[in-house]
């Protein structure tokens, strides 16, 4: 399971400076740098399809509640659209639209044969039973079934949805179509066609980005000092991989505070505490704040928690020479520019966290061919994709004299633009 839907629901992390408008702004700049005309931006600034559905569900109490759901498909010129479904009380149309554009960018960067999609249901999984969540998951699939499918639009887990929810959704779709359709959705349990390596894919992808960034800086991973903000799925696996590779993880944090030791933390012990108690920093006395941690001296800083962590307010005090964004939107656009001027190598979120969608693609390929790969094979294939994507973005940044974020947007949007032109849409 990726996450338990009944876990404490934290505030949605993506609220930074109006996500939709800032995404459109960088896409406009990226298309301009690539020499595309206005009509290409006109097509790509909004999803080609956005549906809103109303889902009536019988609650355990016997009454009916009607939920609102969304599915956004940004652009399907390259191939079917792909992206997660989130369950959260703050899900809204603008956010789902922006995140579907992000998925196009991620698929473009990693050269996957997809456009971007995203979905969500406005609900509070904290206050729902498993039976209600199952009925809601199945109801959502029935409501959007005309526009999704293995060759149309392929959902996946996202905030507060997990492999069990993917399993219910796949079963509902298969019943509707009257044949087994594992390729309809990714992030499934292994026994239903899930892929090896899916759970650790994001952290593996971040690890590969760190290795590549260190090479560019002429530094070695052995002994490198790393700070990781966030000790959830992405941050905790990453800390483990870094520790195993001989790096020194000197700081970690969660929602309750941060632990810091310049000599290196005992990551295996902290993982064990986290697994036993759910959180980790509140078990210790000598905690510092998340903000203090970000400003400590280190070689690599990995924000892997929430958005808006490196801003104009603290950017001048950041001491890392490499920042790898595992979280969505941890650095504001203004802070990105300052870091770039300071010579900090910043690996942007749409590249650094693309390991998840890449292994989702591998899951879909394995479902389509009916032949399954070992974890080693998956990881080797992921490494190739991440190394190529990193190199491509790094070289484009050098050639066009732009930061890695703009370069990533340029590469990410180019495939959708090119494919739309070849199809004669623009
Ligand atoms: P998670 O819910 O498993 O963990 C989040 C962690 O951040 C927890 O340790 C939590 O305590 C901590 N946190 C919450 N609020 C905080 C705060 N104010 N300050 C510091 N820490 C805080 O989430 P995750 O799956 O690890 O995702 C983390 C980030 O990475 C998110 O931005 C997510 O969108 C992004 N991401 C994750 C994946 C994935 O596959 N897990 C893929 C792409 C992007």
């Amino acid at each position: 399971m990726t996450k338990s839907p009944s876990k404490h629901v934290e505030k949605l992390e993506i609220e930074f400076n109006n996500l939709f408008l800032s995404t459109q702004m960088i896409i406009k700049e990226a298309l301009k740098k690539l020499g595309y005309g206005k009509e290409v931006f006109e097509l790509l600034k909004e999803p080609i399809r956005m549906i809103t559905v109303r889902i009536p569900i019988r609650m355990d109490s016997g009454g009916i509640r009607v939920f609102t759901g969304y599915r956004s498909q940004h652009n399907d010129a390259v191939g079917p659209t792909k992206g997660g479904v989130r369950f959260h009380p703050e899900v809204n149309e603008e956010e789902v639209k922006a995140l579907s554009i992000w998925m196009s960018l991620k698929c473009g960067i990693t050269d996957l044969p997809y456009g971007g999609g995203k979905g969500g249901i406005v609900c509070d999984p904290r206050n729902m039973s498993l039976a209600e969540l199952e009925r809601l998951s199945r109801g959502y699939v029935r409501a959007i079934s005309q526009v999704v499918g293995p060759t149309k639009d392929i959902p996946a887990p996202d905030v507060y949805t997990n492999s069990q929810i993917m399993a219910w959704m796949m079963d509902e779709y298969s019943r509707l179509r009257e044949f087994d359709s594992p390729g309809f959705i990714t992030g499934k349990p292994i026994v239903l066609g899930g892929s090896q390596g899916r759970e650790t894919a994001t952290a593996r992808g971040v690890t590969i980005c760190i290795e590549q960034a260190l090479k560019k800086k002429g530094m070695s991973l052995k002994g490198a000092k790393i700070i990781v903000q966030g000790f959830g799925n992405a941050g905790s696996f990453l800390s483990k991989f870094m520790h195993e590779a001989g790096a020194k993880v000197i700081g970690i944090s969660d929602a309750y505070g941060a632990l810091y030791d310049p000599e290196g933390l005992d990551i295996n012990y902290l993982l064990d505490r986290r697994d036993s108690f759910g959180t980790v920093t509140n078990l210790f006395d000598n905690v510092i704040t998340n903000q203090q941690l970000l400003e400590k001296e280190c070689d690599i800083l990995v924000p892997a928690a929430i958005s808006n962590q490196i801003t104009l307010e603290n950017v001048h005090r950041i001491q890392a020479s490499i920042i790898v964004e595992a979280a969505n939107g941890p650095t504001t656009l203004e802070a990105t520019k300052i870091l770039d001027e300071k010579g900090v190598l910043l690996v942007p979120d749409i590249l650094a966290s693309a390991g998840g969608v890449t292994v989702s693609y591998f899951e879909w390929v394995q479902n389509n061919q009916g032949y399954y790969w070992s974890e080693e094979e998956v990881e080797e294939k992921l490494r190739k994709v991440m190394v190529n994507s990193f190199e491509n973005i790094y070289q484009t940044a050098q050639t066009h004299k732009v930061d890695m974020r703009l370069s990533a947007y340029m590469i990410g949007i180019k495939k959708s633009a090119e494919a739309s032109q070849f199809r004669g849409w623009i």
Side-chain angles (χ1 to χ4, degrees), residues 90-300:
E90 290 169 32
V91 162
N92 63 73
E93 191 175 327
E94 285 245 310
E95 181 197 72
V96 172
K97 276 162 61 169
L99 292 173
S100 71
I101 303 181
W102 272 31
M103 287 307 297
S104 281
L105 296 168
K106 282 193 189 187
C107 295
I109 283 170
T110 42
D111 203 13
L112 307 183
Y114 295 136
K118 202 75 175 192
I121 302 179
V122 187
C123 66
D124 188 347
R126 263 178 319 182
N127 298 324
M128 296 175 71
S129 69
L130 275 182
E132 288 167 343
L133 282 171
E134 176 175 355
R135 290 195 284 273
L136 183 59
S137 306
R138 291 183 184 278
Y140 178 68
V141 170
R142 286 195 299 277
I144 62 167
S145 70
Q146 292 306 312
V147 298
V148 289
T151 55
K152 281 187 182 173
D153 181 14
I154 305 125
D158 199 84
V159 176
Y160 299 117
T161 51
N162 58 19
S163 56
Q164 174 61 78
I165 290 176
M166 299 305 109
W168 290 326
M169 289 188 175
M170 189 276 272
D171 184 65
E172 191 63 24
Y173 186 84
S174 299
R175 286 178 191 213
L176 285 172
R177 296 286 175 265
E178 296 184 339
F179 51 81
D180 198 37
S181 310
F184 157 62
I185 205 160
T186 59
K188 301 178 293 293
I190 300 271
V191 70
L192 291 181
S195 179
Q196 299 290 343
R198 176 70 173 69
E199 200 188 7
T200 53
T202 301
R204 287 270 177 225
V206 177
T207 302
I208 297 163
C209 287
I210 291 175
E211 290 167 3
Q212 297 307 304
L214 283 166
K215 270 191 202 157
K216 297 296 176 198
K217 286 271 186 189
M219 292 159 68
S220 154
L221 186 56
K222 277 236 168 329
K225 289 188 196 157
I226 303 192
I227 288 178
V228 183
Q229 184 195 33
F231 209 57
N233 174 283
S236 67
F237 277 122
L238 176 72
S239 302
K240 182 170 180 273
F241 296 154
M242 290 291 101
H243 182 67
E244 285 169 359
K248 213 188 254 187
V249 183
I250 59 170
I252 63 117
S253 72
D254 58 22
Y256 305 94
L259 298 174
Y260 170 73
D261 181 348
E263 297 310 314
L265 295 163
D266 184 346
I267 293 301
N268 289 330
Y269 175 69
L270 296 176
L271 285 168
D272 180 65
R273 297 290 86 188
R274 198 274 318 262
D275 292 344
S276 307
F277 298 100
T279 56
V280 62
T281 63
N282 53 352
L283 305 172
F284 296 83
D285 293 329
N286 49 341
V287 287
I288 59 172
T289 66
N290 263 282
Q291 275 310 314
Q292 286 169 329
L293 182 69
L294 294 177
E295 295 169 16
K296 291 283 182 199
E297 194 197 328
C298 65
D299 298 309
I300 305 150

Side-chain angles (χ1 to χ4, degrees), residues 23 37 42 53 113 132 193-194 197 208 215 235 283 309-310 345 347 367:
T23 304
E42 276 307 303
V53 292
E132 288 167 343
I208 297 163
K215 270 191 202 157
L283 305 172
Q309 294 304 292
I310 304 172
L345 179 51
V347 184
N367 295 151

Side-chain angles (χ1 to χ4, degrees), residues 3 10 13 202 230-234 254-255 290 304-306 326-328 353:
K3 276 178 212 145
E10 284 161 3
E13 75 273 24
T202 301
F231 209 57
N233 174 283
D254 58 22
N290 263 282
I306 53 170
N328 287 331
S353 66

Side-chain angles (χ1 to χ4, degrees), residues 69-91:
Y70 303 102
R71 187 73 196 168
S72 169
Q73 298 169 347
H74 173 236
N75 183 283
D76 58 4
V78 171
T81 46
K82 172 118 196 63
V85 182
R86 54 179 55 185
F87 284 9
H88 198 282
E90 290 169 32
V91 162

Side-chain angles (χ1 to χ4, degrees), residues 383-395:
R383 171 166 290 279
K384 269 193 193 141
V385 170
M386 293 303 299
V387 169
N388 286 343
S389 308
F390 184 99
E391 196 54 36
N392 203 1
I393 289 172
Y394 186 84
Q395 293 308 339

Side-chain angles (χ1 to χ4, degrees), residues 31 35-45 420-421 425-426:
L31 287 170
Y36 283 105
K38 270 204 312 252
E39 65 288 355
V40 181
F41 177 65
E42 276 307 303
L43 176 70
L44 297 176
K45 72 178 186 186
S420 300
Q421 280 191 330
W425 292 354
I426 38 176

